[in-house]
Amino acid sequence: MSDHVLVVKVGGDHALNRRGVCQDLARLVARGQRVVLVHGGAADLDDLARRLGVRQRRLTTPNGTSSRYTDPATLEVLQLALLGGFKPGLVCELSREGVSAVGLSGMDGGLVRARRPRSHRAVVDGRTQVVRDDHSGRITAVDPALVLSLLEAGRVPVISPPALGEDHRPVNVDADRTAAAVAGALSAAGLPTRLVLLTAAPGLLADHTDESSLRSEVTLAPEGGVGDAAVGGMSVKLRAARQALLSGSVSAVIADGRAPSPVLGALAGQGTRVRVAEPVGSQP
């Protein structure tokens, strides 16, 4: 059996090769690799919201961070899309490949806990306002006990938002950060982890309009920004990778989820390997 746990995050972009991800994980599991699969589902959520007539909006904080406005109606759609659609699809695909998978949300067993601000200022539809009904938040803790028990039993946990809030209600959290937090919690529990974040790009690009400008490696400062080349969701992925590495993960890679073998390709060196620089003054 492998001496580490592979944590793979796959997003909801329709261009991603979900079947290829599951086939790769099946091959790895057959070799004795312990795997945790974390998923988002933004595209599936948007599709379902459109069908149900639930308007989707974005929040932009004063520092420029953009996120989904998770009002009560969107929170309901999120749970339907992720827990009722995307996750069962992954579990069934893994089962078809001979893998025993168990679907979980961050709420199950208090796996992922989060704090939702009661109110905050944000720009909505071009106007700055105080938002009080946004059910998004930040991860505060991960209890890996349930994941550890499933791994011990030879199962593959399939995890997604939402997390469990301090008020015991669901909180929408970022899936990349969820994967990083789970990887960090497993590392802290004594199981070394490797993190693979799959996206609809070859990895981090020097020019986000040119897929041939892939950067094979990037070194981030232990804190602060992640560089001008990172735009949109890539910035979040870099921060998540850094979080996992600082929490004890052995490696973190951002790779192309559209590839024929997305996970095996990432493990073979495709994509962008993320490193964290030594803090200034840490060397003798």
Side-chain angles (χ1 to χ4, degrees):
M1 179 173 290
S2 171
D3 63 351
H4 69 275
V5 177
L6 180 65
V7 180
V8 177
K9 186 267 177 174
V10 60
D13 193 301
H14 292 319
L16 299 189
N17 183 3
R18 301 178 190 179
R19 183 178 184 186
V21 170
C22 293
Q23 290 174 334
D24 282 356
L25 295 185
R27 294 186 184 102
L28 290 167
V29 169
R31 301 173 192 169
Q33 175 67 62
R34 290 171 292 183
V35 174
V36 175
L37 180 59
V38 179
H39 71 84
D44 292 60
L45 195 166
D46 287 338
D47 289 347
L48 183 58
R50 193 176 302 111
R51 286 162 50 196
L52 296 176
V54 177
R55 182 186 178 197
Q56 296 298 285
R57 293 175 289 173
R58 304 290 296 181
L59 294 176
T60 303
T61 60
N63 66 6
T65 301
S66 178
S67 63
R68 185 184 297 273
Y69 189 167
T70 312
D71 60 12
T74 293
L75 180 63
E76 185 175 0
V77 175
L78 180 148
Q79 293 179 85
L80 289 171
L82 270 61
L83 310 186
F86 197 165
K87 189 186 310 297
L90 288 174
V91 171
C92 288
E93 190 64 45
L94 286 167
S95 177
R96 187 175 293 112
E97 298 296 331
V99 175
S100 178
V102 178
L104 301 170
S105 77
M107 298 183 293
D108 293 315
L111 171 56
V112 182
R113 295 197 175 258
R115 178 178 295 116
R116 180 180 76 88
R118 294 183 180 275
S119 65
H120 56 93
R121 297 183 67 81
V123 177
V124 184
D125 296 334
R127 294 191 305 113
T128 300
Q129 56 187 270
V130 176
V131 178
R132 293 188 172 86
D133 65 345
D134 180 33
H135 291 268
S136 298
R138 291 274 186 175
I139 296 170
T140 56
V142 172
D143 181 354
L146 184 54
V147 174
L148 290 169
S149 65
L150 290 170
L151 291 173
E152 182 67 24
R155 308 290 194 257
V156 172
V158 181
I159 305 168
S160 75
L164 187 65
E166 295 175 326
D167 57 359
H168 307 287
R169 299 173 65 186
V171 176
N172 183 21
V173 292
D174 179 75
D176 290 306
R177 291 187 180 275
T178 298
V182 169
L186 291 173
S187 294
L191 288 179
T193 57
R194 298 182 184 274
L195 177 65
V196 172
L197 301 174
L198 297 174
T199 186
L204 176 65
L205 305 177
D207 176 357
H208 72 274
T209 65
D210 180 6
E211 291 202 355
S212 68
S213 67
L214 174 68
R215 298 176 62 180
S216 61
E217 185 175 302
V218 61
T219 300
L220 304 177
E223 56 186 23
V226 293
D228 295 336
V231 297
M234 189 58 70
S235 174
V236 176
K237 286 176 173 56
L238 287 171
R239 292 176 186 275
R242 177 172 64 187
Q243 173 191 342
L245 292 168
L246 292 174
S247 299
S249 287
V250 176
S251 64
V253 178
I254 301 173
D256 198 339
R258 305 164 301 177
S261 293
V263 182
L264 294 180
L267 296 178
Q270 296 175 15
T272 302
R273 184 182 180 90
V274 182
R275 300 183 186 275
V276 177
E278 291 288 340
V280 175
S282 63
Q283 296 297 323

